[in-house]
Amino acid sequence: LAPDKAWKGTKVAAASRTEDVDWANQLLGEFTIAPGRVMRQVFAQTEIYPGGKKRHFEQLKKGTGIKYEDMIFFDDSTFNTRDIEKMGVLCVLCPRGLTTEIWEHGLNEYARMKEEGEKWMGRTVSLRGASARARRRR
């Protein structure tokens, strides 16, 4: 993402509710994602500590200034996406991990919803195309 001019201005963050904070931070510095670049270098912000995702996202919004409806959250657990979609974030379910196909599907769904004038992005979508959960604030 970082070296590609198409992503200029995009902020990527990490949110993890792990008990082993030191280990998680260590891994971010060890995963090579491109020659000479490690994962930690692409994150504008990290929220890695025990607790619920809601607190992580409150801190992400505060730290980045990005509104919830302008965020996309990729996660492997509906336990996590359930809370975050209620905040107005578009969630993308990745039950077996984030793949290029799931990443592109999430971006396409986000773009489609924005183009159609969606004001409330709070839902979880899956690669199957249909909303896994179609809750909307009324």
Side-chain angles (χ1 to χ4, degrees):
L1 292 175
D4 189 332
K5 290 182 184 1
W7 295 98
K8 187 176 181 173
T10 300
K11 293 182 181 176
V12 179
S16 178
R17 56 185 179 91
T18 183
E19 296 287 330
D20 201 340
V21 176
D22 292 337
W23 179 71
N25 280 307
Q26 178 185 341
L27 290 177
L28 292 179
E30 293 179 6
F31 284 130
T32 300
I33 57 171
R37 289 191 75 85
V38 294
M39 189 171 284
R40 173 168 291 297
Q41 294 172 308
V42 301
F43 294 130
Q45 186 172 338
T46 58
E47 296 297 322
I48 301 174
Y49 42 83
K53 292 288 187 188
K54 185 176 179 191
R55 180 171 168 226
H56 291 132
F57 273 79
E58 290 168 347
Q59 293 304 309
L60 289 171
K61 181 181 177 196
K62 183 178 178 183
T64 65
I66 297 172
K67 298 180 285 188
Y68 294 132
E69 61 267 23
D70 293 330
M71 295 181 184
I72 306 174
F73 174 48
F74 294 87
D75 200 89
D76 65 346
S77 170
T78 56
F79 177 80
N80 293 326
T81 61
R82 242 176 288 163
D83 288 339
I84 302 309
E85 72 180 23
K86 291 175 187 171
M87 300 171 86
V89 176
L90 175 64
C91 301
V92 183
L93 192 60
C94 321
R96 294 194 174 112
L98 183 58
T99 64
T100 301
E101 187 178 25
I102 291 172
W103 171 261
E104 290 174 353
H105 176 70
L107 295 179
N108 289 334
E109 281 295 295
Y110 177 88
R112 181 190 63 74
M113 292 167 71
K114 286 291 188 178
E115 187 175 300
E116 291 177 2
E118 293 281 339
K119 301 247 188 274
W120 180 253
M121 302 293 278
R123 68 192 72 192
T124 297
V125 297
S126 67
L127 188 57
R128 299 192 200 301
S131 290
R133 298 167 50 80
R135 285 194 191 143
R136 294 182 190 222
R137 181 183 284 178
R138 304 232 184 250

